[in-house]
Amino acid sequence: MTSKKIMISGTALLFTLNLLNIPTPGYCQQRQDVLQMVKISGVEDALRKCAKMYRDEVKNNYPNASSSFYRALDADLNNYVKEMKDYYINLYSRKFTAEDIKNMLSFLSTSTGRKFAAFNNEALPEIAQVATAKTKQIDDNIEKRLKKEKHP
């Protein structure tokens, strides 16, 4: 086989593989619906709030850290929000049908759905504080038990 034929065959193979990776219109619509659901459900805002709470906690613990430290932290947290948003989008896309997503969007578009999403988003800091306090209690209990058992 000549190099020209190999190049044409390789090009045809790459073209065929690209055709197999083109998302269908149904997939594109479902992904758009999932993106909308992540936005109106408050997931994206909750991720941003979590990142801000984490940054504030780091700032409280390391008030004298340099501005370059915080620029790097902000970049890490922005990346965290993007990666987690993508995770939710992929998870919802895998676990729910297009009809499920449409039904959830319909609910979230009602006044009750908006109220539910807003409540979950607003309650996040309180929920995070309660969860942190509870896990700290468990950590304290573990340390006490291990000391009683004379474990390091």
Side-chain angles (χ1 to χ4, degrees):
M1 193 177 246
T2 67
S3 63
K4 189 174 184 180
K5 286 183 181 178
I6 292 172
M7 192 167 106
I8 291 171
S9 296
T11 303
L13 176 63
L14 288 174
F15 179 77
T16 303
L17 290 174
N18 277 336
L19 285 178
L20 296 175
N21 288 325
I22 294 174
T24 63
Y27 171 82
C28 291
Q29 181 59 52
Q30 182 177 353
R31 185 160 176 85
Q32 284 303 109
D33 290 345
V34 172
L35 283 167
Q36 185 180 1
M37 190 177 78
V38 165
K39 188 169 193 77
I40 68 172
S41 68
V43 168
E44 187 172 0
D45 288 338
L47 290 169
R48 291 189 194 291
K49 277 186 178 182
C50 285
K52 184 186 178 323
M53 287 170 48
Y54 183 81
R55 187 191 195 284
D56 292 346
E57 186 66 27
V58 171
K59 183 76 172 167
N60 286 336
N61 291 328
Y62 304 99
N64 298 322
S66 68
S67 60
S68 64
F69 171 85
Y70 285 105
R71 279 193 302 276
L73 176 62
D74 290 342
D76 289 343
L77 291 173
N78 286 334
N79 193 44
Y80 159 81
V81 170
K82 181 191 176 310
E83 287 177 2
M84 290 304 299
K85 180 181 168 187
D86 289 345
Y87 173 79
Y88 274 99
I89 290 167
N90 290 326
L91 180 66
Y92 290 164
S93 295
R94 285 192 327 267
K95 298 295 182 180
F96 296 105
T97 66
E99 184 179 346
D100 293 336
I101 300 295
K102 293 259 186 221
N103 289 336
M104 285 184 259
L105 280 172
S106 292
F107 170 69
L108 291 168
S109 298
T110 67
S111 62
T112 303
R114 287 189 300 275
K115 184 177 179 180
F116 175 75
F119 169 78
N120 282 334
N121 199 15
E122 290 167 12
L124 181 66
E126 181 182 340
I127 292 167
Q129 285 178 333
V130 170
T132 300
K134 294 293 182 187
T135 54
K136 183 169 179 357
Q137 286 175 345
I138 293 169
D139 289 346
D140 292 345
N141 290 339
I142 288 170
E143 285 184 31
K144 288 175 187 174
R145 288 183 194 124
L146 289 174
K147 283 180 183 177
K148 283 182 183 179
E149 293 180 10
K150 298 185 182 173
H151 285 80

